[in-house]
Amino acid sequence: MTKPSIPVGIICSQSGPYQAMGREILKSALMAVDEINSHPDFDFSLTAHVRDPHGVISEYHTVCDDLIRNTGVEHIIGCYTSASRKQVLPIVERTDRLLWYPARYEGFECSDNVIYVGASPNHNVLPLVRYMLDNISRHVFCVGSNYVWTWETNRVTRELVTAAQGSILAERLLELGECAVEHIVDEIIRRKPPVVFNTLVGSSSYDFIRAFQAATTAAGLDIPMLSCSLCEPELKIVGPVSAGCITSSAYFESIQLPENRAFVQRWKARYGEASSPSVDGQSAYVAVYLLARALRRAGTSSIGEVRRAAAGYRYNSPQGPVWIDGDNNHCVLTPRLAVSNAQGQFDLFWEADAPVKPDPYLTQLDVAAEPARDTSRNGSSPSAPHLRIVK
């Protein structure tokens, strides 16, 4: 007996400055769709309608409009940058569709028509900044892409650093896709900051990391680099020089959970032993499963019914337990910190004791909290941060 089919839109760029991440999101979303379509627990199938905006921000509006008008989708998975999400947001709100957004983002947004599956700022930015303040320095050099992700991340960082009597030594921005990084690297070598906070995206970040590592090595400098976005496929693009970057994320391939080991095994069977899932790709996989489980519970694809069915329903995903907070449509996730190694993987050195409620507007943030002074485990791994906001 043929199962009824529910159309689902997938928007992700397969070319352009962040094409690598778009491809990871597509691969993971399609893998989840195939698994659900072959699973006996679901009495319906999902039909994926894929659109490629080619990394052109204005195209996200066009392809989203096309999906809604010409394929009749009610649920859309995708977008990577916040700039692309901002293009899609007015359409899904006007037409009352639901965007399942997989990427980590800067917060300070909440819509009835978006399910924010990726990390909120209290999941990724705050743990990393707290770690920096507690263990490295209160004075930081910021480099990032010139759009809302970096603007808001740097604003939160500045607030925390200033409260800790520290300072933002510089804030240097590049347009999305710009790879002329030499002048920023030259400035870093000249000023010798104690730490660099990198919020560059895609090819800009890859070129910056290579140039930064080459220049600091030549100058005999050891300057730590922090990132809220670097993931395993990007480590392999950059190469072994990406080792040593301290990264905040809810997902790493090296998470030792049974659900993740099984997920990675299925991933490598499908895409090759040398491939690695990314945090945003894994989040797209989670988004498809959250959607399918909500559709099953609701018994309809109606937006309001699916949204209500999705709220609070726990899913033991590859990254651990996740569920949607019905108060703000953001996901409850487990924050983690890790450091990249020369094999293109991350070595975890800290994770929260339990999943953390999303706080997209940082209403629970106490910027005046005193930094902790934890000691390193075994004398080699970075120590845990002080997470004042975790409730």
Side-chain angles (χ1 to χ4, degrees):
M1 177 176 165
T2 303
K3 297 179 180 179
S5 174
I6 298 174
V8 175
I10 300 176
I11 300 177
C12 46
S13 288
Q14 307 300 292
S15 59
Y18 46 85
Q19 58 181 288
M21 292 302 95
R23 291 171 180 167
E24 295 300 323
I25 288 172
L26 178 60
K27 288 158 64 178
S28 294
L30 293 179
M31 177 172 157
V33 167
D34 287 347
E35 289 182 3
I36 287 163
N37 288 348
S38 62
H39 202 294
D41 285 355
F42 296 96
D43 60 1
F44 56 85
S45 64
L46 302 177
T47 300
H49 296 270
V50 180
R51 295 293 183 274
D52 179 2
H54 306 290
V56 179
I57 295 302
S58 60
E59 282 297 304
Y60 282 85
H61 182 283
T62 303
V63 299
C64 183
D65 185 66
D66 171 59
L67 279 170
I68 293 171
R69 286 177 184 271
N70 300 320
T71 66
V73 302
E74 294 177 283
H75 298 273
I76 299 167
I77 293 166
C79 297
Y80 174 61
T81 64
S82 288
S84 63
R85 187 189 69 257
K86 298 286 189 185
Q87 288 286 317
V88 167
L89 188 58
I91 306 177
V92 297
E93 289 186 336
R94 186 176 67 247
T95 59
D96 195 25
R97 263 54 175 190
L98 204 52
L99 171 68
W100 298 72
Y101 179 61
R104 305 141 289 175
Y105 90 117
E106 67 283 346
F108 299 94
E109 181 184 297
C110 189
S111 170
D112 284 343
N113 295 94
V114 180
I115 300 294
Y116 302 83
V117 183
S120 300
N122 67 309
H123 292 134
N124 65 348
V125 179
L126 263 59
L128 191 60
V129 175
R130 290 292 192 201
Y131 171 77
M132 178 187 74
L133 295 174
D134 293 352
N135 298 277
I136 302 177
S137 176
R138 301 181 182 192
H139 306 283
V140 55
F141 188 109
C142 296
V143 55
S145 294
N146 188 19
Y147 77 120
V148 63
W149 153 256
T150 292
W151 303 336
E152 288 297 308
T153 299
N154 284 359
R155 183 178 64 80
V156 171
T157 301
R158 182 184 298 278
E159 190 172 357
L160 289 163
V161 166
T162 301
Q165 289 80 53
S167 63
I168 303 294
L169 299 173
E171 186 175 4
R172 302 290 178 256
L173 306 181
L174 295 174
E175 296 305 315
L176 277 170
E178 184 179 346
C179 294
V181 300
E182 290 77 13
H183 65 291
I184 298 176
V185 173
D186 289 346
E187 183 180 357
I188 291 172
I189 297 301
R190 186 175 71 255
R191 297 180 64 171
K192 301 179 178 57
V195 60
V196 169
F197 198 108
N198 174 10
T199 52
L200 289 165
V201 170
S203 53
S204 302
S205 185
Y206 312 152
D207 284 357
F208 173 76
I209 293 171
R210 293 189 190 101
F212 170 83
Q213 295 293 11
T216 53
T217 299
L221 298 174
D222 182 15
I223 301 175
M225 181 187 298
L226 309 182
S227 170
C228 290
S229 60
L230 204 60
C231 60
E232 290 86 347
E234 295 180 306
L235 297 181
K236 292 174 180 175
I237 292 172
V238 176
V241 296
S242 62
C245 184
I246 298 168
T247 301
S248 176
S249 179
Y251 177 79
F252 295 103
E253 184 182 351
S254 51
I255 291 174
Q256 292 301 311
L257 290 173
E259 292 84 0
N260 188 47
R261 287 196 292 269
F263 168 72
V264 172
Q265 186 176 29
R266 294 195 303 276
W267 173 277
K268 290 181 181 295
R270 182 178 176 115
Y271 295 116
E273 193 62 31
S275 65
S276 288
S278 70
V279 55
D280 301 300
Q282 186 265 175
S283 189
Y285 178 91
V286 171
V288 174
Y289 265 90
L290 290 174
L291 167 60
R293 292 158 67 95
L295 288 167
R296 185 177 60 186
R297 289 190 80 197
T300 171
S301 61
S302 168
I303 298 303
E305 293 298 319
V306 170
R307 186 168 48 228
R308 278 188 286 275
Y313 195 48
R314 176 173 167 145
Y315 165 43
N316 289 324
S317 76
Q319 66 181 275
V322 302
W323 63 93
I324 297 165
D325 185 338
D327 291 340
N328 54 35
N329 287 350
H330 289 64
C331 263
V332 179
L333 306 173
T334 301
R336 297 178 170 92
L337 297 176
V339 58
S340 57
N341 60 42
Q343 290 72 49
Q345 290 292 323
F346 285 98
D347 299 320
L348 275 74
F349 60 84
W350 175 84
E351 66 180 8
D353 293 336
V356 175
K357 181 180 174 66
D359 185 17
Y361 289 90
L362 297 179
T363 59
Q364 302 298 309
L365 173 62
D366 180 359
V367 296
E370 286 295 323
R373 291 296 175 190
D374 301 316
T375 55
S376 298
R377 291 188 304 184
N378 303 322
S380 58
S381 297
S383 57
H386 176 61
L387 285 179
R388 183 67 176 85
I389 63 162
V390 175
K391 301 295 183 182

